């Protein structure tokens, strides 16, 4: 394992608290953790507080680990995060639905959201359920569809401008924003056995089998994706 792969850094921004975690990739232990209460009086002061805390703690982390941090995962709680729900229907008579048909519907859903929400970024793309001839189910495996099939989709989004602000904040320390995870989305899966970082790691690895992992072909362009990772 390369030195830069020994640790993973998570920066968590909640409404009244910011925190930073360093997780060992070797044993999943948290080797560094700091937090601070914040008050969002004005956006500029709020971002300044975040910047000062981040810069200070990154220096501490790099001094402790003797490694330059190259990327980071942001766990974000913000009132500007919102949800869009969409249902897509397809006529199918007396047969199973094929994987390619599901991928096509997912692609159509993605295109529709991007078309009508040009300044938004999708954080999570989730299948909420399948409807087969009026009957809701959580899997299409071995299901014969007599007349119609539909999918209920959920898109958790945020303003692109806000994400760019955080990218620029991290960039001042030459750190790349690798992924943004909604804190409220994480809370949907929280249980007594998990802490926020353990759960975030699980989500990144596909813990929710109905979340679509989107891989951008070109980061500068929106709405183009390399692959859908599906598991039903």
């Amino acid at each position: 394992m390369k030195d830069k792969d020994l640790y993973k850094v998570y920066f968590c921004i909640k409404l009244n608290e910011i925190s930073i975690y360093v997780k060992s990739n070797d044993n999943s232990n948290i080797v560094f953790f700091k937090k601070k209460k914040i008050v969002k009086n004005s956006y500029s002061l709020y971002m300044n507080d975040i910047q000062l805390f981040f810069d200070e703690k990154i220096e501490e982390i790099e001094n402790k680990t003797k490694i330059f941090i190259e990327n980071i995962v942001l766990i974000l709680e913000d009132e500007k995060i919102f949800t869009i729900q969409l249902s897509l229907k397809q006529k199918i008579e007396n047969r199973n639905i094929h994987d390619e048909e599901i991928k096509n519907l997912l692609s159509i859903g993605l295109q529709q959201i991007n078309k009508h929400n040009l300044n938004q970024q999708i954080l999570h793309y989730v299948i909420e359920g399948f409807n087969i001839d009026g009957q809701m189910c959580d899997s299409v495996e071995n299901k014969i569809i007599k007349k119609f099939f539909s999918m209920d989709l959920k898109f958790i989004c945020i303003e692109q401008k806000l994400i760019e602000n955080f990218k620029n904040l991290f960039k001042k320390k030459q750190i790349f924003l690798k992924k943004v995870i909604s804190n409220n989305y994480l809370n949907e899966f929280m249980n007594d056995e998990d802490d926020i970082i353990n759960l975030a790691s699980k989500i990144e690895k596909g813990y929710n089998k109905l979340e679509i992992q989107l891989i951008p072909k070109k980061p500068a362009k929106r709405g183009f994706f390399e692959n859908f990772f599906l598991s039903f």
Side-chain angles (χ1 to χ4, degrees):
M1 184 181 292
K2 297 180 181 179
D3 287 347
K4 67 179 182 179
D5 298 323
L6 291 174
Y7 304 101
K8 191 160 192 176
V9 182
Y10 294 85
F11 194 52
C12 184
I13 302 177
K14 297 186 178 181
L15 297 180
N16 58 2
E17 183 181 274
I18 50 179
S19 53
I20 191 164
Y21 301 77
V22 180
K23 180 176 73 71
S24 168
N25 288 328
D26 183 41
N27 54 25
S28 295
N29 289 339
I30 301 299
V31 299
F32 184 94
F33 166 69
K34 296 289 182 179
K35 67 178 180 178
K36 177 184 177 181
K37 294 292 182 181
I38 55 172
V39 179
K40 197 172 183 179
N41 291 323
S42 71
Y43 186 73
S44 59
L45 291 175
Y46 168 75
M47 290 299 290
N48 186 59
D49 282 347
I50 292 173
Q51 183 79 67
L52 290 174
F53 176 83
F54 179 77
D55 291 351
E56 179 183 302
K57 300 314 170 190
I58 285 297
E59 289 182 12
E60 287 185 31
I61 291 167
E62 291 182 338
N63 287 333
K64 180 177 180 177
T65 63
K66 308 302 181 185
I67 294 171
F68 287 110
I69 305 303
E70 295 185 359
N71 54 63
I72 198 165
V73 175
L74 175 62
I75 300 172
L76 184 62
E77 179 182 29
D78 195 281
E79 61 272 12
K80 292 182 180 179
I81 296 177
F82 64 97
T83 297
I84 302 173
Q85 293 177 309
L86 178 67
S87 291
L88 295 175
K89 186 175 180 180
Q90 179 173 326
K91 184 178 180 180
I92 297 177
E93 295 184 348
N94 300 314
R95 64 175 176 85
N96 301 106
I97 188 168
H98 304 305
D99 285 349
E100 288 303 315
E101 292 175 299
I102 293 177
K103 291 180 182 180
N104 183 59
L105 285 173
L106 291 171
S107 181
I108 290 171
L110 182 65
Q111 290 169 18
Q112 288 189 19
I113 296 302
N114 282 337
K115 179 180 179 181
H116 298 290
N117 300 272
L118 296 177
N119 299 315
Q120 310 299 328
Q121 179 169 318
I122 299 169
L123 303 182
H124 305 282
Y125 181 9
V126 181
I127 300 172
E128 291 198 293
F130 304 100
N131 187 321
I132 297 177
D133 299 318
Q135 185 75 32
M136 294 301 299
C137 55
D138 56 12
S139 173
V140 297
E141 186 176 2
N142 299 322
K143 297 287 197 318
I144 299 297
I145 303 167
K146 295 181 179 179
K147 292 184 178 180
F148 76 89
F149 168 83
S150 68
M151 282 194 299
D152 293 334
L153 307 175
K154 177 172 71 173
F155 300 82
I156 300 174
C157 309
I158 192 169
E159 289 182 15
Q160 183 67 38
K161 182 179 179 180
L162 184 57
I163 297 301
E164 292 301 322
N165 288 343
F166 286 119
K167 285 182 177 180
N168 291 332
L169 183 151
F170 300 139
K171 194 181 295 184
K172 291 178 182 179
K173 299 296 286 185
Q174 291 80 50
I175 295 176
F176 172 71
L177 176 55
K178 184 177 181 181
K179 185 176 180 61
V180 183
I181 300 175
S182 164
N183 183 76
N184 288 343
Y185 178 67
L186 285 181
N187 285 339
E188 294 179 20
F189 304 94
M190 189 64 73
N191 56 55
D192 294 337
E193 297 178 358
D194 284 317
D195 57 48
I196 190 170
I197 301 306
N198 185 41
L199 188 53
S201 181
K202 285 183 178 181
I203 289 294
E204 288 184 275
K205 295 174 182 177
Y207 180 71
N208 181 7
K209 299 304 182 183
L210 293 178
E211 180 175 357
I212 310 305
Q213 303 297 325
L214 301 174
I215 309 296
K217 284 184 177 178
K218 295 182 179 180
K221 295 185 179 182
R222 299 176 69 258
F224 293 86
F225 295 90
E226 190 173 86
N227 199 8
F228 293 105
F229 293 91
L230 304 178
S231 180
F232 303 113

